[in-house]
Amino acid sequence: MSDVKLCAVDDIPEDGSAGFVAELGDKKIAIMAIRKNGAVFVYENECPHIGAPLDFTPGQFLDVDKEYILCSTHGALFKIDTGECIDGPCFGDHLTQINAEVRDGAVYLT
Ligand code: FES
């Protein structure tokens, strides 16, 4: 599969997040992208607890301190860089990471 352009880096606020729907092959996948310290982390927008999307407010995936990814349904917290759940009902589980690369000011799914 060739790389799929997800968005411009500037579509994601620094220390913030955004939500997308990407077409990968014949599947449409809900995706979250988090921008932190110049890096972009991309995960499926599906909580490992019961499979719900994480954002009540579309595109808002971070806790108030912008330190962790927050699942709005039951409050699970996930590390931004690894997707590991460090608090909540799915403790120890991981978000599904999607390989992504920043090139020429854009984010590509690889
Ligand atoms: S659905 Fe995410 S913590 Fe329950």
Side-chain angles (χ1 to χ4, degrees), residues 9-18 33-36 59-60 62:
V9 172
D10 287 341
D11 292 337
I12 313 162
E14 176 60 36
D15 276 330
S17 61
I34 319 295
R35 189 171 164 195
K36 182 145 182 111
Q60 300 297 313
L62 298 182

Side-chain angles (χ1 to χ4, degrees), residues 19-54:
F20 303 91
V21 175
E23 285 192 34
L24 294 181
D26 55 359
K27 282 203 304 184
K28 283 192 178 177
I29 298 181
I31 280 178
M32 68 179 103
I34 319 295
R35 189 171 164 195
K36 182 145 182 111
N37 299 331
V40 175
F41 302 92
V42 181
Y43 298 96
E44 286 189 27
N45 182 8
E46 189 177 279
C47 184
H49 181 213
I50 59 167
L54 282 83

